[in-house]
Amino acid sequence: MIAEEMVIACCTDLAGKVRGKAFPASQFDKRRSRGIGWTPTNAQITCFDTIAESPFGSLGDLVLIPDEAAKVRVELGGDVPIEHFALGDIRHTDGRPWEFCTRSILKCALDRLNRASGLTLFGAFEHEFQFRNAASPIGEAYSVNGFRLERRLAETLVAAMRAAGLEPDTFMREFGTGQYEVTIGPSRGIAIADQSTILRELVRFVAHALGKEVTFTPIRDPAGVGNGVHIHLSFLDKDQPGTWDPNGKHELGKTAGQFIAGILKYLNSIVAITAPSVVSYLRLTPHRWSAAFNNLGFRDREAAVRICPVSDLSDIAKAAQFNFEFRAADATASPHLQLAALVHAGVQGIEEDLPTPDATAEDLALLDPSTLAARGLVRLPKSLPEALECFLANRTVTEWFPAGFADTYVKHKKGEMAFLEGKPQQEICNLYEQVY
Ligand code: GLU
Ligand code: MG
Protein backbone atom coordinates (compact mmCIF):
# COMPACT_ATOMS: atom_id res chain seq x y z
CA MET A 1 0.00 0.00 0.00
CA ILE A 2 1.24 3.50 -0.64
CA ALA A 3 1.44 5.97 2.23
CA GLU A 4 2.60 9.50 2.89
CA GLU A 5 3.81 10.38 6.37
CA MET A 6 1.70 12.83 8.33
CA VAL A 7 2.40 14.89 11.44
CA ILE A 8 -0.22 15.95 14.00
CA ALA A 9 -0.20 19.47 15.40
CA CYS A 10 -1.78 19.10 18.84
CA CYS A 11 -2.28 20.52 22.28
CA THR A 12 -3.58 19.53 25.70
CA ASP A 13 -7.02 20.91 26.41
CA LEU A 14 -9.40 21.64 29.28
CA ALA A 15 -10.44 17.98 29.34
CA GLY A 16 -6.82 16.91 29.71
CA LYS A 17 -7.02 15.25 26.31
CA VAL A 18 -4.46 15.74 23.56
CA ARG A 19 -6.29 16.87 20.44
CA GLY A 20 -5.04 18.06 17.09
CA LYS A 21 -5.09 17.87 13.30
CA ALA A 22 -2.73 16.06 10.99
CA PHE A 23 -1.15 17.26 7.76
CA PRO A 24 1.55 15.91 5.40
CA ALA A 25 4.89 15.96 7.21
CA SER A 26 6.48 17.67 4.19
CA GLN A 27 4.40 20.76 5.06
CA PHE A 28 5.77 21.13 8.59
CA ASP A 29 7.90 24.21 7.92
CA LYS A 30 5.02 26.03 6.27
CA ARG A 31 2.65 25.09 9.08
CA ARG A 32 5.12 26.32 11.70
CA SER A 33 4.27 29.87 10.67
CA ARG A 34 0.85 29.43 9.11
CA GLY A 35 -0.52 26.96 11.67
CA ILE A 36 -3.68 24.92 11.18
CA GLY A 37 -7.22 26.11 11.72
CA TRP A 38 -8.76 25.52 15.16
CA THR A 39 -12.25 26.10 16.55
CA PRO A 40 -12.90 27.92 19.87
CA THR A 41 -15.74 25.64 20.94
CA ASN A 42 -13.30 22.69 20.85
CA ALA A 43 -12.31 23.88 24.34
CA GLN A 44 -15.71 22.73 25.55
CA ILE A 45 -15.54 19.19 24.16
CA THR A 46 -15.62 17.14 27.33
CA CYS A 47 -13.72 13.91 27.85
CA PHE A 48 -16.98 12.09 27.04
CA ASP A 49 -17.36 13.76 23.61
CA THR A 50 -20.22 15.99 24.67
CA ILE A 51 -20.03 19.76 24.24
CA ALA A 52 -20.42 21.72 27.45
CA GLU A 53 -22.01 25.17 27.47
CA SER A 54 -19.76 27.24 25.24
CA PRO A 55 -19.31 31.01 25.21
CA PHE A 56 -18.19 30.74 21.58
CA GLY A 57 -21.01 28.78 19.96
CA SER A 58 -20.31 28.30 16.28
CA LEU A 59 -18.31 31.51 16.06
CA GLY A 60 -14.63 32.32 15.69
CA ASP A 61 -11.42 30.97 14.26
CA LEU A 62 -8.01 30.26 15.70
CA VAL A 63 -4.73 28.79 14.58
CA LEU A 64 -2.75 26.03 16.24
CA ILE A 65 0.97 26.58 15.63
CA PRO A 66 3.14 23.46 16.05
CA ASP A 67 6.41 23.99 17.93
CA GLU A 68 9.55 22.41 16.47
CA ALA A 69 10.94 22.14 20.03
CA ALA A 70 7.99 19.94 21.05
CA LYS A 71 8.04 17.70 17.97
CA VAL A 72 8.25 13.95 18.34
CA ARG A 73 9.06 11.46 15.61
CA VAL A 74 9.45 7.84 16.62
CA GLU A 75 9.90 4.94 14.27
CA LEU A 76 9.33 1.60 15.99
CA GLY A 77 10.01 -0.32 12.81
CA GLY A 78 8.13 -3.32 11.40
CA ASP A 79 4.76 -2.33 10.02
CA VAL A 80 3.99 0.13 12.83
CA PRO A 81 3.18 3.57 11.38
CA ILE A 82 5.66 6.26 12.41
CA GLU A 83 4.51 8.28 15.42
CA HIS A 84 4.85 11.93 14.50
CA PHE A 85 3.29 14.86 16.34
CA ALA A 86 4.17 18.31 17.61
CA LEU A 87 2.65 20.15 20.52
CA GLY A 88 1.85 23.76 19.82
CA ASP A 89 0.20 26.99 20.89
CA ILE A 90 -3.27 28.17 19.94
CA ARG A 91 -3.40 31.78 18.80
CA HIS A 92 -5.96 34.24 17.54
CA THR A 93 -5.62 34.80 13.80
CA ASP A 94 -3.81 38.10 14.58
CA GLY A 95 -1.17 36.15 16.52
CA ARG A 96 -2.23 36.88 20.14
CA PRO A 97 -2.17 33.84 22.44
CA TRP A 98 -5.67 32.44 22.85
CA GLU A 99 -7.07 32.75 26.38
CA PHE A 100 -7.83 29.00 26.52
CA CYS A 101 -4.51 27.75 25.16
CA THR A 102 -3.14 25.65 28.02
CA ARG A 103 0.45 26.01 26.80
CA SER A 104 0.21 29.80 26.60
CA ILE A 105 -1.33 29.87 30.09
CA LEU A 106 1.67 27.93 31.39
CA LYS A 107 4.14 30.21 29.58
CA CYS A 108 2.50 33.18 31.27
CA ALA A 109 2.85 31.52 34.71
CA LEU A 110 6.51 30.69 34.06
CA ASP A 111 7.17 34.32 33.04
CA ARG A 112 5.61 35.40 36.33
CA LEU A 113 7.94 33.04 38.23
CA ASN A 114 10.92 34.46 36.40
CA ARG A 115 9.87 38.05 37.10
CA ALA A 116 9.23 37.35 40.79
CA SER A 117 12.34 35.30 41.52
CA GLY A 118 14.70 35.13 38.56
CA LEU A 119 14.40 31.33 38.87
CA THR A 120 13.79 28.71 36.20
CA LEU A 121 11.50 25.80 36.97
CA PHE A 122 13.16 22.39 36.64
CA GLY A 123 11.27 19.13 37.02
CA ALA A 124 9.46 16.09 35.70
CA PHE A 125 6.12 14.34 36.00
CA GLU A 126 6.12 10.80 37.39
CA HIS A 127 3.27 8.62 36.07
CA GLU A 128 1.45 5.49 37.18
CA PHE A 129 -0.80 3.54 34.80
CA GLN A 130 -2.51 0.18 34.55
CA PHE A 131 -3.05 -2.39 31.84
CA ARG A 132 -6.71 -2.81 31.00
CA ASN A 133 -6.90 -5.85 28.76
CA ALA A 134 -4.12 -8.06 30.05
CA ALA A 135 -4.62 -10.68 32.72
CA SER A 136 -2.79 -9.39 35.77
CA PRO A 137 -1.40 -12.16 37.93
CA ILE A 138 -1.65 -11.73 41.68
CA GLY A 139 1.53 -11.47 43.77
CA GLU A 140 3.65 -9.42 41.38
CA ALA A 141 3.90 -6.02 43.13
CA TYR A 142 7.43 -4.64 42.57
CA SER A 143 8.48 -8.08 41.36
CA VAL A 144 11.07 -9.04 38.80
CA ASN A 145 8.51 -11.28 37.18
CA GLY A 146 6.07 -8.35 37.02
CA PHE A 147 8.72 -6.41 35.12
CA ARG A 148 9.49 -9.42 32.95
CA LEU A 149 5.87 -9.64 31.85
CA GLU A 150 6.17 -6.15 30.37
CA ARG A 151 9.87 -6.06 29.55
CA ARG A 152 9.14 -5.83 25.85
CA LEU A 153 6.90 -2.83 26.37
CA ALA A 154 9.33 -1.23 28.81
CA GLU A 155 12.32 -1.57 26.50
CA THR A 156 10.39 -0.39 23.45
CA LEU A 157 9.14 2.54 25.50
CA VAL A 158 12.63 3.47 26.65
CA ALA A 159 13.84 3.46 23.04
CA ALA A 160 10.83 5.55 22.00
CA MET A 161 11.46 8.01 24.84
CA ARG A 162 15.10 8.30 23.84
CA ALA A 163 14.10 8.94 20.21
CA ALA A 164 11.64 11.61 21.40
CA GLY A 165 14.31 13.44 23.40
CA LEU A 166 13.07 12.32 26.83
CA GLU A 167 15.58 11.01 29.33
CA PRO A 168 14.49 7.53 30.46
CA ASP A 169 14.84 7.04 34.21
CA THR A 170 12.96 4.08 35.73
CA PHE A 171 10.17 1.65 34.91
CA MET A 172 8.69 -0.67 37.51
CA ARG A 173 5.82 -2.91 38.41
CA GLU A 174 3.86 -0.84 40.93
CA PHE A 175 1.69 -2.11 43.73
CA GLY A 176 -1.81 -2.06 42.15
CA THR A 177 -3.41 -4.63 39.86
CA GLY A 178 -1.54 -4.52 36.54
CA GLN A 179 -0.03 -1.21 37.63
CA TYR A 180 3.29 0.17 36.41
CA GLU A 181 5.20 3.38 36.99
CA VAL A 182 7.46 5.26 34.63
CA THR A 183 9.77 8.15 35.46
CA ILE A 184 11.86 10.45 33.31
CA GLY A 185 14.68 12.90 33.89
CA PRO A 186 13.97 16.57 34.58
CA SER A 187 13.65 19.33 32.02
CA ARG A 188 13.10 23.10 32.14
CA GLY A 189 10.06 25.34 32.00
CA ILE A 190 7.47 24.55 29.37
CA ALA A 191 9.26 21.30 28.47
CA ILE A 192 8.26 19.83 31.87
CA ALA A 193 4.61 19.76 30.82
CA ASP A 194 5.39 19.00 27.17
CA GLN A 195 7.38 15.92 28.19
CA SER A 196 4.62 14.67 30.46
CA THR A 197 2.21 14.91 27.53
CA ILE A 198 4.69 13.23 25.21
CA LEU A 199 5.32 10.43 27.69
CA ARG A 200 1.61 9.63 28.09
CA GLU A 201 1.24 9.51 24.31
CA LEU A 202 4.31 7.30 23.91
CA VAL A 203 3.02 4.84 26.51
CA ARG A 204 -0.27 4.64 24.58
CA PHE A 205 1.57 4.37 21.26
CA VAL A 206 3.83 1.54 22.35
CA ALA A 207 1.00 -0.28 24.15
CA HIS A 208 -1.16 0.00 21.02
CA ALA A 209 1.66 -1.31 18.83
CA LEU A 210 1.95 -4.33 21.12
CA GLY A 211 -1.80 -4.94 21.16
CA LYS A 212 -2.31 -3.74 24.75
CA GLU A 213 -4.48 -1.13 26.32
CA VAL A 214 -3.42 1.08 29.20
CA THR A 215 -5.22 3.56 31.40
CA PHE A 216 -3.92 6.50 33.42
CA THR A 217 -7.28 7.01 35.13
CA PRO A 218 -6.99 8.18 38.78
CA ILE A 219 -8.80 5.11 40.08
CA ARG A 220 -10.45 2.14 38.43
CA ASP A 221 -12.18 0.78 41.47
CA PRO A 222 -12.59 2.60 44.79
CA ALA A 223 -11.54 -0.60 46.57
CA GLY A 224 -8.28 -0.66 44.59
CA VAL A 225 -5.16 1.44 44.20
CA GLY A 226 -5.02 4.81 42.47
CA ASN A 227 -2.85 6.01 39.61
CA GLY A 228 -1.07 9.13 40.71
CA VAL A 229 0.79 11.82 38.85
CA HIS A 230 3.57 13.16 41.04
CA ILE A 231 4.95 16.46 39.82
CA HIS A 232 8.61 16.80 40.85
CA LEU A 233 9.84 20.37 40.99
CA SER A 234 12.98 22.29 41.82
CA PHE A 235 14.59 25.54 40.69
CA LEU A 236 17.61 26.57 38.72
CA ASP A 237 19.29 29.82 39.60
CA LYS A 238 21.38 30.81 36.56
CA ASP A 239 21.80 27.12 35.66
CA GLN A 240 22.79 26.15 39.21
CA PRO A 241 20.55 24.20 41.61
CA GLY A 242 18.50 26.74 43.56
CA THR A 243 16.25 24.74 45.91
CA TRP A 244 18.44 23.31 48.68
CA ASP A 245 19.76 25.20 51.67
CA PRO A 246 21.39 22.98 54.31
CA ASN A 247 20.51 25.61 56.95
CA GLY A 248 16.92 26.18 55.82
CA LYS A 249 13.86 24.64 57.46
CA HIS A 250 13.56 21.11 56.05
CA GLU A 251 16.68 22.10 54.06
CA LEU A 252 14.53 24.24 51.78
CA GLY A 253 15.90 27.52 50.44
CA LYS A 254 13.86 30.62 51.24
CA THR A 255 12.19 30.92 47.84
CA ALA A 256 11.43 27.21 47.64
CA GLY A 257 9.81 27.43 51.08
CA GLN A 258 7.67 30.38 50.01
CA PHE A 259 6.72 28.59 46.80
CA ILE A 260 5.58 25.45 48.63
CA ALA A 261 3.71 27.58 51.17
CA GLY A 262 1.85 29.23 48.29
CA ILE A 263 0.89 25.87 46.78
CA LEU A 264 -0.44 24.66 50.14
CA LYS A 265 -2.26 27.90 50.92
CA TYR A 266 -4.09 27.87 47.59
CA LEU A 267 -4.37 24.11 47.14
CA ASN A 268 -8.04 23.95 48.02
CA SER A 269 -8.78 26.35 45.19
CA ILE A 270 -6.53 24.80 42.54
CA VAL A 271 -7.22 21.13 43.09
CA ALA A 272 -10.13 21.46 40.62
CA ILE A 273 -7.37 21.95 38.03
CA THR A 274 -4.73 19.51 39.28
CA ALA A 275 -7.19 16.66 39.98
CA PRO A 276 -10.10 17.62 37.76
CA SER A 277 -12.36 14.61 37.28
CA VAL A 278 -15.20 13.13 39.30
CA VAL A 279 -13.08 10.06 40.12
CA SER A 280 -10.07 12.17 41.15
CA TYR A 281 -11.79 12.59 44.50
CA LEU A 282 -12.05 8.86 45.08
CA ARG A 283 -8.26 8.82 44.99
CA LEU A 284 -7.67 11.93 47.12
CA THR A 285 -8.73 10.19 50.33
CA PRO A 286 -6.64 9.28 53.39
CA HIS A 287 -4.46 6.15 53.46
CA ARG A 288 -3.98 5.81 49.72
CA TRP A 289 -0.54 7.40 49.61
CA SER A 290 -2.07 10.22 47.58
CA ALA A 291 -3.06 13.48 49.30
CA ALA A 292 -6.10 14.35 51.37
CA PHE A 293 -4.87 17.48 53.18
CA ASN A 294 -2.87 20.59 52.24
CA ASN A 295 0.17 19.34 54.12
CA LEU A 296 3.89 19.29 53.56
CA GLY A 297 5.60 15.98 54.25
CA PHE A 298 9.26 15.34 54.74
CA ARG A 299 9.75 12.08 52.90
CA ASP A 300 6.11 11.25 53.75
CA ARG A 301 4.14 9.70 50.89
CA GLU A 302 0.85 10.87 52.30
CA ALA A 303 1.35 14.58 51.76
CA ALA A 304 0.18 17.03 49.13
CA VAL A 305 3.78 18.22 48.80
CA ARG A 306 6.54 15.84 49.76
CA ILE A 307 10.20 16.71 50.12
CA CYS A 308 11.93 13.91 48.25
CA PRO A 309 14.94 12.05 49.59
CA VAL A 310 18.53 12.87 48.75
CA SER A 311 21.22 10.28 49.07
CA ASP A 312 24.81 10.66 50.16
CA LEU A 313 25.68 7.72 47.93
CA SER A 314 24.67 9.39 44.67
CA ASP A 315 27.14 10.71 42.14
CA ILE A 316 24.82 13.72 41.83
CA ALA A 317 25.45 16.58 44.29
CA LYS A 318 22.85 16.95 47.06
CA ALA A 319 21.84 20.39 45.84
CA ALA A 320 21.07 18.96 42.41
CA GLN A 321 19.15 15.98 43.77
CA PHE A 322 16.99 18.05 46.09
CA ASN A 323 13.40 18.43 44.89
CA PHE A 324 9.84 18.29 46.15
CA GLU A 325 6.87 16.55 44.58
CA PHE A 326 3.23 17.56 44.32
CA ARG A 327 0.99 14.52 44.77
CA ALA A 328 -2.58 15.86 44.50
CA ALA A 329 -2.47 15.45 40.73
CA ASP A 330 -3.63 12.89 38.21
CA ALA A 331 -3.67 12.29 34.48
CA THR A 332 -7.21 13.52 33.84
CA ALA A 333 -5.72 17.03 33.74
CA SER A 334 -3.73 18.90 31.13
CA PRO A 335 -0.12 18.87 32.41
CA HIS A 336 0.14 22.46 31.18
CA LEU A 337 -2.82 23.63 33.25
CA GLN A 338 -1.67 21.64 36.28
CA LEU A 339 1.75 23.19 36.17
CA ALA A 340 0.37 26.68 35.51
CA ALA A 341 -1.85 26.43 38.60
CA LEU A 342 1.08 25.23 40.74
CA VAL A 343 3.45 27.91 39.47
CA HIS A 344 0.92 30.70 40.02
CA ALA A 345 0.19 29.44 43.54
CA GLY A 346 3.91 29.14 44.24
CA VAL A 347 4.68 32.63 42.96
CA GLN A 348 1.78 33.97 44.99
CA GLY A 349 3.55 32.45 48.01
CA ILE A 350 6.79 34.21 47.02
CA GLU A 351 5.01 37.53 46.56
CA GLU A 352 3.21 37.15 49.90
CA ASP A 353 6.53 36.20 51.53
CA LEU A 354 4.95 33.17 53.21
CA PRO A 355 7.08 31.24 55.71
CA THR A 356 8.21 27.67 54.97
CA PRO A 357 5.43 25.42 56.30
CA ASP A 358 5.93 22.87 59.08
CA ALA A 359 6.09 19.31 57.86
CA THR A 360 3.51 16.90 59.26
CA ALA A 361 4.59 13.50 60.49
CA GLU A 362 1.38 11.88 61.70
CA ASP A 363 -1.90 10.51 60.38
CA LEU A 364 -3.90 13.69 59.76
CA ALA A 365 -7.09 11.68 59.28
CA LEU A 366 -7.06 11.08 63.06
CA LEU A 367 -7.03 14.79 63.97
CA ASP A 368 -10.21 16.74 64.59
CA PRO A 369 -11.03 19.80 62.44
CA SER A 370 -10.14 22.33 65.17
CA THR A 371 -6.68 20.80 65.71
CA LEU A 372 -6.15 20.82 61.95
CA ALA A 373 -7.36 24.41 61.62
CA ALA A 374 -5.04 25.58 64.41
CA ARG A 375 -2.15 24.26 62.32
CA GLY A 376 -3.42 25.79 59.07
CA LEU A 377 -4.39 22.41 57.67
CA VAL A 378 -7.58 21.66 55.76
CA ARG A 379 -9.10 18.54 54.31
CA LEU A 380 -9.04 18.93 50.52
CA PRO A 381 -12.41 19.12 48.72
CA LYS A 382 -14.11 15.74 48.76
CA SER A 383 -15.77 16.01 45.36
CA LEU A 384 -15.36 17.78 42.02
CA PRO A 385 -18.35 20.11 42.62
CA GLU A 386 -16.84 21.14 45.97
CA ALA A 387 -13.44 21.70 44.33
CA LEU A 388 -14.99 23.81 41.56
CA GLU A 389 -16.82 25.91 44.12
CA CYS A 390 -13.54 26.58 45.96
CA PHE A 391 -11.88 27.51 42.66
CA LEU A 392 -14.59 29.97 41.58
CA ALA A 393 -14.86 31.50 45.05
CA ASN A 394 -11.18 32.46 45.18
CA ARG A 395 -10.71 35.67 43.21
CA THR A 396 -6.94 35.64 43.72
CA VAL A 397 -6.81 32.28 41.98
CA THR A 398 -9.26 32.96 39.15
CA GLU A 399 -7.39 36.18 38.31
CA TRP A 400 -4.18 34.25 37.61
CA PHE A 401 -5.94 33.01 34.50
CA PRO A 402 -7.02 34.97 31.41
CA ALA A 403 -10.38 36.78 31.41
CA GLY A 404 -13.28 34.35 31.07
CA PHE A 405 -11.17 31.26 31.72
CA ALA A 406 -12.49 30.34 35.18
CA ASP A 407 -16.19 30.52 34.23
CA THR A 408 -15.68 28.58 31.03
CA TYR A 409 -13.58 25.95 32.78
CA VAL A 410 -16.30 25.40 35.37
CA LYS A 411 -18.93 25.15 32.60
CA HIS A 412 -16.73 22.56 30.91
CA LYS A 413 -16.57 20.48 34.07
CA LYS A 414 -20.33 20.84 34.62
CA GLY A 415 -20.86 19.43 31.13
CA GLU A 416 -18.62 16.49 32.03
CA MET A 417 -20.58 15.87 35.25
CA ALA A 418 -23.92 16.14 33.45
CA PHE A 419 -22.92 13.18 31.27
CA LEU A 420 -22.41 11.09 34.40
CA GLU A 421 -25.60 12.04 36.17
CA GLY A 422 -27.52 9.08 37.56
CA LYS A 423 -24.80 6.58 36.68
CA PRO A 424 -23.56 4.24 39.42
CA GLN A 425 -20.03 4.75 40.75
CA GLN A 426 -18.49 1.69 39.09
CA GLU A 427 -19.86 2.71 35.69
CA ILE A 428 -18.40 6.19 36.21
CA CYS A 429 -15.02 4.61 37.00
CA ASN A 430 -15.29 2.42 33.91
CA LEU A 431 -16.03 5.44 31.72
CA TYR A 432 -13.02 7.39 32.96
CA GLU A 433 -10.90 4.28 32.56
CA GLN A 434 -11.84 4.16 28.88
CA VAL A 435 -11.22 7.86 28.34
CA TYR A 436 -7.83 8.30 30.00
N1 GLU B 1 -0.54 5.12 43.79
C1 GLU B 1 -0.30 6.24 44.68
C2 GLU B 1 -1.06 7.46 44.17
O1 GLU B 1 -2.18 7.32 43.80
C3 GLU B 1 1.19 6.54 44.83
C4 GLU B 1 2.04 5.43 45.34
C5 GLU B 1 3.50 5.87 45.40
O2 GLU B 1 3.89 6.52 46.36
O3 GLU B 1 4.20 5.61 44.43
O4 GLU B 1 -0.57 8.56 44.13
MG1 MG C 1 4.43 5.14 42.52
Side-chain angles (χ1 to χ4, degrees), residues 126 128 172 174 181 230:
E126 167 187 338
E128 292 169 339
M172 66 152 186
E174 250 287 3
E181 176 185 297
H230 302 160

mmCIF file of all heavy atoms in Angstrom, residues 126 128 172 174 181 230, ligand 2:
data_model
loop_
_atom_site.group_PDB
_atom_site.id
_atom_site.type_symbol
_atom_site.label_atom_id
_atom_site.label_comp_id
_atom_site.label_asym_id
_atom_site.label_seq_id
_atom_site.Cartn_x
_atom_site.Cartn_y
_atom_site.Cartn_z
ATOM 1 N N GLU A 126 5.991 12.251 37.195
ATOM 2 C CA GLU A 126 6.117 10.800 37.391
ATOM 3 C C GLU A 126 4.714 10.212 37.203
ATOM 4 O O GLU A 126 3.758 10.732 37.769
ATOM 5 C CB GLU A 126 6.637 10.596 38.822
ATOM 6 C CG GLU A 126 6.568 9.226 39.376
ATOM 7 C CD GLU A 126 6.959 9.225 40.889
ATOM 8 O OE1 GLU A 126 7.638 10.148 41.366
ATOM 9 O OE2 GLU A 126 6.543 8.287 41.569
ATOM 10 N N GLU A 128 1.868 6.880 36.951
ATOM 11 C CA GLU A 128 1.452 5.489 37.175
ATOM 12 C C GLU A 128 0.324 5.175 36.192
ATOM 13 O O GLU A 128 -0.486 6.058 35.880
ATOM 14 C CB GLU A 128 0.962 5.296 38.618
ATOM 15 C CG GLU A 128 2.084 5.440 39.626
ATOM 16 C CD GLU A 128 1.619 5.510 41.080
ATOM 17 O OE1 GLU A 128 0.442 5.843 41.314
ATOM 18 O OE2 GLU A 128 2.428 5.251 41.963
ATOM 19 N N MET A 172 8.844 0.410 36.524
ATOM 20 C CA MET A 172 8.687 -0.667 37.509
ATOM 21 C C MET A 172 7.253 -1.133 37.621
ATOM 22 O O MET A 172 6.321 -0.435 37.268
ATOM 23 C CB MET A 172 9.178 -0.209 38.873
ATOM 24 C CG MET A 172 8.343 0.893 39.449
ATOM 25 S SD MET A 172 8.433 0.783 41.249
ATOM 26 C CE MET A 172 7.285 2.013 41.716
ATOM 27 N N GLU A 174 4.355 -1.477 39.699
ATOM 28 C CA GLU A 174 3.856 -0.835 40.928
ATOM 29 C C GLU A 174 2.995 -1.808 41.721
ATOM 30 O O GLU A 174 2.820 -2.966 41.343
ATOM 31 C CB GLU A 174 3.073 0.434 40.567
ATOM 32 C CG GLU A 174 3.762 1.748 40.959
ATOM 33 C CD GLU A 174 3.737 2.035 42.451
ATOM 34 O OE1 GLU A 174 3.236 1.197 43.230
ATOM 35 O OE2 GLU A 174 4.227 3.104 42.866
ATOM 36 N N GLU A 181 4.822 1.963 36.807
ATOM 37 C CA GLU A 181 5.196 3.377 36.993
ATOM 38 C C GLU A 181 6.373 3.679 36.082
ATOM 39 O O GLU A 181 7.277 2.859 35.927
ATOM 40 C CB GLU A 181 5.592 3.609 38.450
ATOM 41 C CG GLU A 181 6.084 5.018 38.710
ATOM 42 C CD GLU A 181 6.582 5.192 40.146
ATOM 43 O OE1 GLU A 181 5.780 5.044 41.065
ATOM 44 O OE2 GLU A 181 7.784 5.465 40.302
ATOM 45 N N HIS A 230 2.793 12.429 40.035
ATOM 46 C CA HIS A 230 3.572 13.158 41.037
ATOM 47 C C HIS A 230 4.462 14.144 40.290
ATOM 48 O O HIS A 230 5.285 13.746 39.468
ATOM 49 C CB HIS A 230 4.392 12.190 41.886
ATOM 50 C CG HIS A 230 3.541 11.156 42.593
ATOM 51 N ND1 HIS A 230 4.031 9.984 43.078
ATOM 52 C CD2 HIS A 230 2.208 11.145 42.880
ATOM 53 C CE1 HIS A 230 3.045 9.283 43.638
ATOM 54 N NE2 HIS A 230 1.933 9.967 43.519
HETATM 55 MG MG MG B 2 4.432 5.140 42.523
#
